[in-house]
Amino acid sequence: MRKTKLLIATAILSAAMSTAVLAGEWKQDTTGWWYQNDDGGYTKSGWQTIDGKSYYFNESGYMLVNTTTPDGYNVGADGAWVNNSGASTSVQLSTVTSSPSTVIGSGTYKVGTDIAAGEYVLFSTSDFGAYYEIASDSSGNFESIIDNDNFSYNAIVTVTNGQYLKLTNGTLSPISEVSQIDYTKGNMFKVGYHIPAGEYKLQSGSEYSGYCAVLGNSSGGLNNIIANDNFLGISYMTVENGQYLQISRCVIVR
């Protein structure tokens, strides 16, 4: 079980957030394009889905074009995220999981030596699930654990140089090679990349409570959790581009 979940098992967070995508209009000046929402605000340092396509806006609110975004994705001349074939992509729920060309098996890896720093998708290779652990050093002490979890299908993690990633009964691949994750099986999705932003209806199994969480990033840690819920039956979660939806013992029914 994830270390952070143990810390909050008796105190479920209920932080409210508003994530409705407002209608608005594109605007341009001599610097570039930005998108103004109905409330007069605009996205900075992040993704926004507009008319079914995902765009990245810099710290000043201007749309990036013909470049790689800070989180590692390509955007084209029109600013929209493009897939590996160069086609402008609308993010949709998928019942297919990508087949990455880079597949690294179970083991313990020093980041920056054995594997590159960055964001990875982990997949279970066992019917009994997989386990990962990110540690700050190789001491094996509990205090060195930054993040850990058991997962049945997939997880998403970000690791930095000098950390250690331990993986049991699984594989890891760069997230850039995994643009689709089967929403009927997946445990974790990057919003605006694997699934569109919006509200999701979740349903638990009949015997066990489900768990869902909205995460700010994939680096782990208690402060990373924006909202979460343990529930029986039905629950709803709303997510924004750049966030992560994590689910366990439940499925997306939207």
Side-chain angles (χ1 to χ4, degrees):
M1 179 177 291
R2 176 180 294 221
K3 181 181 177 184
T4 55
K5 288 181 186 174
L6 292 172
L7 297 174
I8 61 171
T10 58
I12 302 302
L13 300 179
S14 58
M17 61 183 190
S18 175
T19 57
V21 177
L22 300 174
E25 62 178 329
W26 287 99
K27 292 182 176 290
Q28 184 185 33
D29 60 18
T30 56
T31 301
W33 288 90
W34 75 95
Y35 191 79
Q36 182 173 299
N37 295 311
D38 270 356
D39 63 357
Y42 50 93
T43 298
K44 296 181 180 180
S45 298
W47 293 92
Q48 183 172 343
T49 298
I50 303 167
D51 296 330
K53 295 182 179 180
S54 295
Y55 302 85
Y56 191 92
F57 298 88
N58 68 15
E59 65 278 2
S60 299
Y62 288 101
M63 178 184 72
L64 298 187
V65 297
N66 285 329
T67 189
T68 300
T69 64
D71 50 355
Y73 306 110
N74 295 325
V75 290
D78 63 350
W81 172 67
V82 296
N83 62 22
N84 292 335
S85 67
S88 181
T89 302
S90 296
V91 180
Q92 298 178 347
L93 290 175
S94 175
T95 56
V96 176
T97 296
S98 302
S99 297
S101 57
T102 304
V103 178
I104 302 171
S106 297
T108 300
Y109 304 98
K110 185 173 183 178
V111 183
T113 300
D114 303 316
I115 61 173
E119 192 167 31
Y120 292 89
V121 180
L122 314 181
F123 290 104
S124 171
T125 57
S126 170
D127 292 337
F128 301 100
Y131 171 79
Y132 77 83
E133 179 180 296
I134 300 172
S136 59
D137 56 47
S138 58
S139 67
N141 294 328
F142 180 79
E143 291 75 13
S144 69
I145 298 176
I146 298 170
D147 187 33
N148 66 343
D149 202 4
N150 294 295
F151 59 94
S152 60
Y153 188 76
N154 84 288
I156 302 174
V157 301
T158 295
V159 289
T160 60
N161 288 332
Q163 293 180 342
Y164 293 79
L165 173 60
K166 178 181 179 180
L167 179 62
T168 304
N169 294 331
T171 63
L172 63 103
S173 299
I175 195 171
S176 59
E177 298 182 15
V178 187
S179 60
Q180 293 179 298
I181 294 175
D182 186 344
Y183 83 93
T184 67
K185 299 178 181 178
N187 301 125
M188 190 168 176
F189 310 88
K190 187 168 187 175
V191 184
Y193 185 60
H194 298 125
I195 60 173
E199 184 181 67
Y200 287 88
K201 182 179 181 180
L202 307 170
Q203 183 165 8
S204 71
S206 58
E207 296 184 28
Y208 304 102
S209 63
Y211 174 81
C212 58
V214 179
L215 309 178
N217 58 58
S218 59
S219 299
L222 179 62
N223 293 333
N224 182 38
I225 300 174
I226 297 171
N228 67 352
D229 190 19
N230 284 304
F231 65 97
L232 278 171
I234 298 295
S235 182
Y236 287 86
M237 278 290 176
T238 299
V239 289
E240 297 178 333
N241 285 324
Q243 295 177 341
Y244 296 77
L245 177 63
Q246 183 184 50
I247 61 176
S248 178
R249 304 181 305 279
C250 62
V251 295
I252 297 173
V253 294
R254 173 197 173 195

